[in-house]
Amino acid sequence: MASASTELLPFFTHNDLYLRPVYKVMIEVALPKLRQMGQSVSNWEIRERLKKMLHPIELTDFKVHESTLEEVHFIATVGTDRDMKKVISLLNGTSFRAIGFADPLTVKADEAKLDFPTRVDWDQFFTSAAGKCPMDEREPGERPDTVYVGGLPFDWFQSSVDETMERTFLRIFSDFGEVACVDIPQCDPLRKQMEPEISGIQISSWLLGQDPFFEVYVQFREYGAFVNAMAFLGGKMLVQKCASGSLREAKIKVDFDRSAHLSIRKITQRRLRRICIEYERDKTEQRAQAEERRLEEMISEERARREHEERERVMRRLLRAERRQRLREQRNFEQILRRKLKRKLDHRLESSWRERRRQAKALLRYIAELYRAQQQHAVESKQSIHELASEYARDRGLPEEEELRQRILQKREQKMRTRITGRTLMKRHF
């Protein structure tokens, strides 16, 4: 770890970010003929045998690059240049035996070519691209002037300084020369909605949430600054120093821009596409707002309708309760009135019958006296008892027998009518 720390090159020291060279070894293992036909050999067993031969040197990213029946090519990454030279000296020209092979397996080791473009690569690219599509080397972005860096962790570049990510990379790459433009597609929320040809997004992005990695395009005004940046970044990995002293590594991809991402043509296309997206978004928002207003109006109308129905139900309930109350009061009043009338009628009838009984008793006494007198003076008197009684009644102002009978019948008829009328009223109320 100490030797690895000595090879660190400052990149963004404000966040303890450095670059460290990447050392890769190509290991070629020649396979002799197998003892038995149809027998297979495991690349994993060969790789584990090579690891034991190189112990204690640690190999990272040790994987099969190419495999055939005659040979197997491995590529491995080592920490330092010293370890790379030691691995080559230990493995190159050696041999070992493996199960299933009659002859030993011979090993060749050499420094692997890094996957990084050179000046010849970008010169050939722009020369051949000029024939396929119209490019003008006098225009920015259509010539080798833009560096592409991908696979940068977002968390490592979070700065306490109140500045944008583009401003941070402008300061970082200004050490190589004057920077004309910096573009980070992941910092643009509309970039994912653009076509891949103009968005500039090359790494796979997450559908939900913040992407863990981002990529940056840095365009220089001078060709020399572009060459210096490519030479400094080529064949390196990004390293972060932790507070505990340990190192965190991140593989980054460095290349020249092959898509003319920062050319005037692509920038104009992105601006036009942005206008279209914003226009469509505004229309969508307007439709959503109109739909929301219509929904709110429908909800308000429905709420008003329900409130109106509820008020009507309450009013009907109150009216029914009031009508029942009036009916109860009317029935109570009628019952009280009938009781009063009944008491009055009963009192009058009782008074009338009392008077009738008194008059009847007086008449009976008079008739009895007349009867006794008639018995005594039957010969002298020529009038009958009925005639004498009638004469007595006329002298006293009493009604005669027929008149009394008519009055009694009228009273009975009036009483029956009153009873029938009361029953009819009660049936109507109920």
Side-chain angles (χ1 to χ4, degrees):
M1 184 64 68
S3 60
S5 300
T6 58
E7 296 183 350
L8 297 181
L9 302 175
F11 182 67
F12 184 34
T13 56
H14 184 274
N15 283 22
D16 295 326
L17 297 180
Y18 300 86
L19 293 177
R20 191 179 73 182
V22 177
Y23 301 99
K24 291 188 177 183
V25 180
M26 173 68 74
I27 303 173
E28 178 183 342
V29 180
L31 303 178
K33 293 183 179 180
L34 295 170
R35 291 179 179 178
Q36 298 179 2
M37 294 298 295
Q39 186 178 0
S40 62
V41 60
S42 172
N43 293 333
W44 180 83
E45 293 179 359
I46 298 175
R47 187 184 66 175
E48 293 301 316
R49 184 67 178 272
L50 293 173
K51 283 185 177 181
K52 290 181 180 179
M53 294 172 62
L54 295 174
H55 185 76
I57 300 175
E58 183 179 357
L59 300 178
T60 59
D61 198 16
F62 196 178
K63 59 185 179 181
V64 177
H65 178 66
E66 184 180 358
S67 177
T68 63
L69 294 176
E70 291 79 16
E71 58 186 8
V72 180
H73 294 264
F74 295 94
I75 291 182
T77 303
V78 294
T80 62
D81 181 50
R82 179 181 177 183
D83 290 341
M84 181 183 67
K85 293 178 180 179
K86 190 173 182 180
V87 168
I88 294 174
S89 63
L90 289 174
L91 293 181
N92 191 31
T94 61
S95 62
F96 63 92
R97 291 187 175 275
I99 299 175
F101 294 96
D103 299 327
L105 284 69
T106 58
V107 181
K108 294 181 181 180
D110 196 2
E111 182 179 357
K113 181 181 178 181
L114 297 178
D115 185 15
F116 180 75
T118 62
R119 180 172 181 175
V120 176
D121 295 327
W122 61 67
D123 286 342
Q124 290 180 352
F125 174 81
F126 283 99
T127 302
S128 60
K132 297 179 181 179
C133 59
M135 279 195 179
D136 188 356
E137 62 179 7
R138 295 172 298 179
E139 295 293 333
E142 299 183 11
R143 59 193 180 196
D145 59 358
T146 304
V147 177
Y148 167 83
V149 184
L152 299 168
F154 257 112
D155 296 339
W156 292 11
F157 289 88
Q158 298 296 329
S159 177
S160 59
V161 181
D162 188 13
E163 65 178 5
T164 61
M165 197 80 75
E166 289 83 356
R167 181 64 182 173
T168 299
F169 276 89
L170 181 64
R171 290 194 296 107
I172 294 173
F173 282 88
S174 294
D175 295 338
F176 306 107
E178 186 179 359
V179 177
C181 182
V182 175
D183 181 61
I184 302 176
Q186 282 74 18
C187 292
D188 184 2
L190 299 181
R191 201 65 65 89
K192 291 183 180 180
Q193 303 179 36
M194 298 182 184
E195 292 75 8
E197 295 79 11
I198 62 175
S199 66
I201 298 177
Q202 298 187 26
I203 60 177
S204 59
S205 59
W206 290 22
L207 297 177
L208 300 175
Q210 177 67 48
D211 294 323
F213 301 98
F214 68 96
E215 50 203 334
V216 59
Y217 294 84
V218 182
Q219 186 181 75
F220 295 94
R221 295 191 183 278
E222 297 180 358
Y223 177 73
F226 166 77
V227 174
N228 294 335
M230 292 291 289
F232 181 77
L233 296 172
K236 308 284 192 316
M237 68 170 55
L238 188 64
V239 177
Q240 183 185 46
K241 274 188 177 181
C242 301
S244 60
S246 60
L247 300 179
R248 299 171 62 189
E249 299 177 349
K251 294 181 180 180
I252 59 175
K253 179 183 178 181
V254 180
D255 197 0
F256 61 91
D257 180 24
R258 302 170 186 263
S259 60
H261 178 71
L262 294 180
S263 63
I264 298 176
R265 175 170 50 87
K266 289 292 183 69
I267 293 175
T268 304
Q269 289 177 354
R270 281 194 293 274
R271 288 177 180 174
L272 293 176
R273 185 63 182 132
R274 182 184 302 277
I275 293 174
C276 294
I277 293 174
E278 291 177 349
Y279 176 74
E280 293 174 358
R281 184 180 60 185
D282 293 341
K283 287 183 62 178
T284 303
E285 291 178 355
Q286 291 176 1
R287 286 195 298 268
Q289 292 176 0
E291 185 68 20
E292 185 177 358
R293 286 194 299 268
R294 191 174 68 85
L295 182 60
E296 290 179 355
E297 291 176 357
M298 293 175 62
I299 293 174
S300 300
E301 292 176 357
E302 181 66 18
R303 186 182 294 111
R305 185 184 66 81
R306 292 186 179 182
E307 290 177 355
H308 179 68
E309 291 179 353
E310 183 65 22
R311 285 196 299 269
E312 287 185 347
R313 282 196 296 270
V314 172
M315 290 298 296
R316 287 195 297 268
R317 189 164 56 249
L318 293 176
L319 290 174
R320 286 195 298 269
E322 185 180 358
R323 186 165 56 251
R324 287 194 296 268
Q325 181 66 22
R326 287 200 305 268
L327 291 175
R328 283 195 297 270
E329 292 177 355
Q330 186 176 358
R331 285 196 298 269
N332 294 335
F333 176 75
E334 291 176 354
Q335 290 176 0
I336 294 172
L337 183 60
R338 282 196 296 271
R339 284 196 294 268
K340 288 183 178 180
L341 291 175
K342 186 175 181 302
R343 284 196 298 269
K344 288 183 179 181
L345 290 175
D346 292 343
H347 180 69
R348 289 180 180 179
L349 288 174
E350 186 178 357
S351 300
S352 177
W353 281 108
R354 192 181 299 113
E355 181 65 22
R356 296 293 186 275
R357 284 196 299 271
R358 186 183 63 78
Q359 293 177 359
K361 287 179 180 180
L363 180 60
L364 289 175
R365 285 194 299 270
Y366 177 71
I367 292 172
E369 291 177 358
L370 289 177
Y371 182 76
R372 285 193 299 270
Q374 186 179 13
Q375 290 294 331
Q376 293 176 3
H377 306 286
V379 179
E380 298 177 359
S381 178
K382 296 181 179 180
Q383 294 180 340
S384 63
I385 295 175
H386 293 287
E387 292 176 352
L388 293 174
S390 298
E391 184 179 354
Y392 175 80
R394 284 194 298 272
D395 294 340
R396 298 295 180 89
L398 298 175
E400 297 183 359
E401 181 180 359
E402 185 64 26
E403 186 179 356
L404 286 173
R405 188 177 293 110
Q406 291 294 330
R407 288 185 179 182
I408 291 171
L409 292 175
Q410 289 177 0
K411 293 293 183 182
R412 288 181 179 177
E413 183 180 358
Q414 185 178 2
K415 188 174 182 179
M416 291 179 66
R417 287 182 178 180
T418 303
R419 187 179 301 170
I420 292 171
T421 303
R423 291 180 180 177
T424 304
L425 290 174
M426 291 178 67
K427 288 181 180 180
R428 288 180 181 177
H429 291 312
F430 291 99

